[in-house]
Amino acid sequence: MTEQTARTTEDRAPHSARTHPRDPRTAPRPAPGPHGGPYAGPGPGSVLQPVGRLRLDWPRSFADRLTAPLPGVRAMARLAREGAVRPSPEGLRDIPRLPYAPGPLPEAGPDTLAVTWAGHASWVVRIGGLTVLTDPVWSRRIFGTTARLTPVGVRWEDLPPVDAVVISHNHFDHLDAPTLRRLPRHTPVFVPAGLGRWFARRRFTRVTELDWWEAAELQGVRFDFVPAHHWSKRTLLDTCRSLWGGWVLTDPTGRKLYFAGDTGYGHWFAEIAARHPGISLALLPIGAYDPRWWLSDVHTDPEEAVRAFQDLGADHMAPMHWSTFVLSSEPVLEPLTRVRAAWERAGLARERLWDLAVGASRVLEAGA
């Protein structure tokens, strides 16, 4: 079940009742829930938790963290009527032009911050001497979609030993069981609250569950779990039973990488900037956004991604979450052309946009 198909199983408020926060200064903020909710957590400093500890004190549901209601019957009926779940034949015509340029992984030492885009939301991050995978999906196909549009940018055999994995949420295009089965079960895995049992059932032994604004540290690298405008679901019975969010990774020198995971646009970006100033690189989603009436609450479009980058106050942005799977109806090459145009309109320096091809790498030089 992909996120697109998972959304059609919901029966909550109709889409017409959704809010559409667009200004982080004025967006509505949900009330705190039974586990503290979005704004009842700690102040600017995240709560540090031990690595590898499963926790049993999570609430049954994290639905109180939603920043917009999930779609209901009327929205599902409209989606079925319009059939707007994949690009038109003209929109698929540019598949051969999707950027794909695999190359060797860069050399990386303790002072290196480097990223390699494997495709979709999967990155090979080299930070503080660690190799970290984000939402690793090395499968050719995920449940509910056609095969990948572009091959995986890094062969699994070419990966260095994986020191840690971060997971943003449990949708099938971000949590891929066949890929995770390839990892040694002692690999440290950092996951949202409520998702630890999924890994424990698969015999992973070093699973760290975190709530929003909590953190853990591994070999000098800090892993902070931060909010996102999204949701979670993997089966018919587990809607919002686990949390969703992004990650801020900080190396021993203080350089920060922000991995957004999957998110719509809203007030959280400004809040993340306030609590984690000085982000060096933001990995932000730019695809799977059309039709907007269906996806605007949970997926940024390219223009919103640029705005989120500005809210974050980051130094560089690397787009992701496009060019890999067909999850929505925009033309396959449109996210790239629109994000480049939005970047230019915003007057941002071109070298700050790392619009990588699948398989390409970039190294952030020391002091940059």
Side-chain angles (χ1 to χ4, degrees):
M1 184 185 304
T2 63
E3 177 180 336
Q4 183 76 34
T5 56
R7 287 172 67 82
T8 64
T9 66
E10 288 308 294
D11 187 11
R12 295 176 63 85
H15 192 280
S16 59
R18 292 191 197 179
T19 58
H20 292 271
R22 287 294 177 266
D23 189 331
R25 296 165 298 180
T26 60
R29 299 183 176 186
H35 195 69
Y39 280 85
S46 297
V47 176
L48 196 63
Q49 301 290 340
V51 170
R53 188 188 76 177
L54 287 177
R55 295 157 65 178
L56 303 177
D57 60 339
W58 303 121
R60 181 171 175 81
S61 172
F62 292 92
D64 63 293
R65 309 293 185 92
L66 293 169
T67 44
L70 297 178
V73 173
R74 280 183 286 178
M76 291 187 285
R78 178 180 175 183
L79 188 72
R81 183 172 65 251
E82 296 181 358
V85 294
R86 60 180 286 113
S88 67
E90 292 76 16
L92 294 170
R93 185 175 50 197
D94 285 326
I95 289 176
R97 298 178 57 201
L98 292 173
Y100 178 73
L105 294 174
E107 296 292 329
D111 298 328
T112 302
L113 176 54
V115 293
T116 303
W117 189 30
H120 202 54
S122 302
W123 295 85
V124 183
V125 177
R126 320 292 289 282
I127 183 170
L130 301 183
T131 296
V132 181
L133 301 184
T134 69
D135 288 358
V137 179
W138 259 251
S139 296
R140 181 173 177 269
R141 184 189 300 270
I142 56 173
F143 183 76
T145 71
T146 56
R148 301 174 78 104
L149 301 177
T150 50
V152 182
V154 183
R155 294 193 316 162
W156 190 264
E157 296 78 11
D158 294 336
L159 287 173
V162 176
D163 298 298
V165 172
V166 296
I167 300 295
S168 63
H169 65 299
N170 71 353
H171 287 150
F172 279 75
D173 57 324
H174 294 259
L175 180 63
D176 183 52
T179 299
L180 293 165
R181 281 199 295 268
R182 301 185 183 195
L183 291 166
R185 295 306 186 266
H186 62 267
T187 304
V189 183
F190 297 85
V191 306
L195 197 53
R197 290 182 179 179
W198 189 92
F199 284 88
R201 289 196 299 270
R202 288 154 181 82
R203 300 183 180 179
F204 282 87
T205 60
R206 300 187 68 192
V207 182
T208 305
E209 291 179 282
L210 297 178
D211 200 346
W212 289 346
W213 310 125
E214 291 185 337
E217 191 170 298
L218 178 68
Q219 298 179 35
V221 176
R222 186 178 172 105
F223 295 72
D224 284 83
F225 190 52
V226 297
H229 297 275
H230 207 61
W231 67 305
S232 69
K233 184 184 185 72
R234 198 166 176 89
T235 72
L236 292 175
L237 302 175
D238 66 352
T239 304
C240 296
R241 294 288 179 86
S242 61
L243 198 50
W244 52 91
W247 294 91
V248 176
L249 308 186
T250 306
D251 72 10
T253 70
R255 287 186 300 181
K256 300 174 184 176
L257 176 142
Y258 167 58
F259 168 66
D262 212 350
T263 182
Y265 181 76
H267 65 275
W268 283 131
F269 296 108
E271 183 78 9
I272 291 166
R275 297 185 184 228
H276 297 283
I279 293 171
S280 298
L281 173 61
L283 311 178
L284 291 169
I286 65 167
Y289 52 79
D290 220 18
R292 294 310 286 150
W293 66 263
W294 176 254
L295 292 168
S296 64
D297 292 324
V298 294
H299 286 167
T300 52
D301 64 23
E303 293 77 17
E304 290 169 332
V306 172
R307 186 172 176 183
F309 168 78
Q310 294 174 296
D311 293 345
L312 290 163
D315 295 329
H316 304 84
M317 170 181 160
M320 64 172 184
H321 206 267
W322 76 285
S323 185
T324 308
F325 298 109
V326 174
L327 301 175
S328 54
S329 63
E330 74 270 7
V332 294
L333 198 57
E334 183 182 274
L336 180 63
T337 58
R338 280 178 57 174
V339 79
R340 287 173 172 172
W343 195 266
E344 184 176 357
R345 286 196 302 272
L348 297 166
R350 184 62 179 83
E351 62 271 17
R352 298 174 65 191
L353 179 63
W354 292 5
D355 45 347
L356 301 180
V358 174
S361 302
R362 189 69 67 88
V363 178
L364 186 69
E365 303 296 337

